[in-house]
Amino acid sequence: MAQADVEQACKESGACYAVYWGFDEAAKVLKPMAHFNPAERIAAVKAKTGKDDLFTTESYKFTMKPGEGSVGRTYASGEPSFFQDVDALPQDSFLRKDIAKQFGIVSIAMKPFGKGVLEVGSAVKWDVCDWASSQC
């Protein structure tokens, strides 16, 4: 997974971030391996929080087994996932729900990509996400 792929997914989907969750063969878990935030998103979060932390950077504190949480289920099923309102999801369904709320993430889409899952999200509600059903 190239950094350029993550950046392209963010731009094509109109997202405010993108994270690539790669499968770590040795540990048998999915973990963040690349991320992208547009400059305007970085500036907006820093202005609001006074910190450099972002939803993407905080996601590096998480790992998920195949089938665990939305990332793990997307990986295991091989099918895209789309969530209009992550706040409405149960905590065990979206393990990063608390940090999504903290950083104002509302809608998320994921799809299998390479040996992992590519995730994009938005701070505004998406009614649909064509990116999730399109081919990378």
Side-chain angles (χ1 to χ4, degrees):
M1 164 60 62
Q3 182 64 35
D5 293 325
V6 180
E7 186 173 343
Q8 181 179 349
C10 187
K11 290 177 179 177
E12 285 180 0
S13 64
C16 70
Y17 79 89
V19 177
Y20 177 69
W21 295 82
F23 186 69
D24 180 327
E25 294 283 345
K28 304 290 186 216
V29 296
L30 292 148
K31 64 182 187 179
M33 295 186 170
H35 73 277
F36 176 79
N37 296 92
E40 60 273 11
R41 172 66 180 173
I42 295 169
V45 172
K46 188 167 186 166
K48 184 176 181 181
T49 66
K51 299 179 182 177
D52 292 326
D53 298 338
L54 298 160
F55 179 70
T56 50
T57 58
E58 291 298 297
S59 292
Y60 281 78
K61 296 177 181 176
F62 291 80
T63 60
M64 294 171 213
K65 295 176 183 171
E68 180 181 32
S70 52
V71 173
R73 281 193 301 281
T74 299
Y75 178 80
S77 74
E79 296 293 323
S81 303
F82 171 59
F83 308 99
Q84 279 186 320
D85 184 0
V86 295
D87 196 44
L89 298 173
Q91 185 74 40
D92 66 336
S93 182
F94 189 66
L95 304 176
R96 295 168 295 139
K97 181 177 179 174
D98 291 342
I99 64 168
K101 189 172 191 160
Q102 177 185 347
F103 288 98
I105 302 301
V106 178
S107 296
I108 292 179
M110 304 173 187
K111 63 181 170 181
F113 187 84
K115 293 184 179 180
V117 172
L118 195 49
E119 170 186 329
V120 297
S122 174
V124 296
K125 187 175 182 182
W126 286 339
D127 292 323
V128 297
C129 181
D130 294 332
W131 173 87
S133 58
S134 68
Q135 295 295 317
C136 272

